[in-house]
Amino acid sequence: DITIYERESKPGGMVTFAIPDFRMDKEGLQFEAMQLEKVDVKFHFDISLGRDVQFDELVKEFDAVILAIGMNKARRLDLIDNNVPENLRCDALAFLKAYNEGTNLASGAQTILIIGGGNSAIDAARSAKRVNPQSKIIVACLEHEQDMPAFAEEIVHARHEGIVLMAGTRVTKCALDEENRIQISLEDVTRNATIQEFSADFVITAIGQLAESEMLNANL
């Protein structure tokens, strides 16, 4: 007998809630996942480890317990988190989950800065462009373009969709001005010289993910 406890309202984890719909067929994924019910796998949704069930309870109830919680905690970027109000920033996972649920966390933003060079950053940028078509979307990352971890074809798509790529740069200044706009300075990582300064209305950080170690430590 197999039982699956899932924190979200449907299966698929980050594939369901983080990857945008224009990148994969979510209906096909849901259909495939729920075929498990036909072989008597039991799903329990909206159940969170540490909140609704405890690890020691599961160990007593089942003969074996498999943890497959992934890495769904966004890394912090102190420069942004310490200088930008919460309503003007978020991490890529939060932005993408909201996008997949039909919500735009950056509504009304004229300029959106995404920090990071991986697939989450490019997914966030392309999603932001779809819900803010008139906005300027900028992706800034430490890696030079040929070294970015994002899929090469996704970078090409992003450029074709009008997204500005500032590869090989890092944010060195981030401050809120009197008009509640975020003043950003970008530095070339090779020359250590400021190459661009601009105002942004919203910042999305996409610098990697971690496992929720606090929850694990409390339950193991």
Side-chain angles (χ1 to χ4, degrees), residues 67-112:
L67 295 179
I69 61 173
M71 301 177 71
N72 55 8
K73 179 180 178 181
R75 289 182 181 272
R76 283 176 51 89
L77 184 56
D78 289 340
L79 179 64
I80 301 301
D81 292 346
N82 294 338
N83 293 287
V84 179
E86 288 188 13
N87 65 313
L88 300 181
R89 62 172 167 85
C90 70
D91 61 76
L93 297 183
F95 185 84
L96 288 167
K97 184 176 181 181
Y99 172 83
N100 277 298
E101 294 176 341
T103 303
N104 179 12
L105 296 182
S107 179
Q110 296 178 1
T111 301
I112 300 172

Side-chain angles (χ1 to χ4, degrees), residues 29 43 57 124 126 154 167:
L29 170 69
F43 283 90
E57 297 171 356
R126 297 182 66 198
E154 296 301 319

Side-chain angles (χ1 to χ4, degrees), residues 21-59:
D21 53 5
F22 55 82
R23 279 240 282 130
M24 80 173 296
D25 176 11
K26 298 300 183 66
E27 291 185 5
L29 170 69
Q30 293 302 315
F31 173 81
E32 200 169 308
M34 296 313 295
Q35 295 306 296
L36 292 170
E37 286 189 323
K38 295 184 177 180
V39 291
D40 296 327
V41 172
K42 301 176 183 67
F43 283 90
H44 296 280
F45 297 110
D46 298 308
I47 300 294
S48 180
L49 180 63
R51 183 192 67 196
D52 305 298
V53 293
Q54 304 302 321
F55 189 75
D56 56 354
E57 297 171 356
L58 297 178
V59 171

Side-chain angles (χ1 to χ4, degrees), residues 10-199:
K10 51 188 175 182
M14 290 178 61
V15 176
T16 296
F17 293 98
I19 295 179
D21 53 5
F22 55 82
R23 279 240 282 130
M24 80 173 296
D25 176 11
K26 298 300 183 66
E27 291 185 5
L29 170 69
Q30 293 302 315
F31 173 81
E32 200 169 308
M34 296 313 295
Q35 295 306 296
L36 292 170
E37 286 189 323
K38 295 184 177 180
V39 291
D40 296 327
V41 172
K42 301 176 183 67
F43 283 90
H44 296 280
F45 297 110
D46 298 308
I47 300 294
S48 180
L49 180 63
R51 183 192 67 196
D52 305 298
V53 293
Q54 304 302 321
F55 189 75
D56 56 354
E57 297 171 356
L58 297 178
V59 171
K60 292 176 183 177
E61 183 178 354
F62 297 95
D63 299 311
V65 178
I66 298 173
L67 295 179
I69 61 173
M71 301 177 71
N72 55 8
K73 179 180 178 181
R75 289 182 181 272
R76 283 176 51 89
L77 184 56
D78 289 340
L79 179 64
I80 301 301
D81 292 346
N82 294 338
N83 293 287
V84 179
E86 288 188 13
N87 65 313
L88 300 181
R89 62 172 167 85
C90 70
D91 61 76
L93 297 183
F95 185 84
L96 288 167
K97 184 176 181 181
Y99 172 83
N100 277 298
E101 294 176 341
T103 303
N104 179 12
L105 296 182
S107 179
Q110 296 178 1
T111 301
I112 300 172
L113 171 67
I114 293 96
I115 302 174
N119 284 319
S120 294
I122 299 301
D123 283 349
R126 297 182 66 198
S127 299
K129 193 65 174 176
R130 280 164 169 74
V131 293
N132 301 274
Q134 304 305 316
S135 298
K136 183 175 184 179
I137 313 295
I138 301 171
V139 174
C141 62
L142 295 172
E143 304 89 354
H144 294 286
E145 185 168 345
Q146 66 272 18
D147 300 318
M148 289 173 62
F151 297 144
E153 62 268 27
E154 296 301 319
I155 298 172
V156 171
H157 288 318
R159 284 193 180 280
H160 287 167
E161 291 166 10
I163 293 161
V164 178
L165 180 60
M166 302 290 292
T169 65
R170 58 172 160 252
V171 178
T172 56
K173 174 188 172 184
C174 175
L176 208 63
D177 64 17
E178 295 178 354
E179 298 179 352
N180 217 35
R181 301 200 76 198
I182 309 159
Q183 300 304 313
I184 300 289
S185 291
L186 287 182
E187 179 181 88
D188 185 295
V189 297
T190 303
R191 297 186 288 112
N192 293 324
T194 299
I195 58 171
Q196 189 164 344
E197 295 182 339
F198 60 91
S199 298

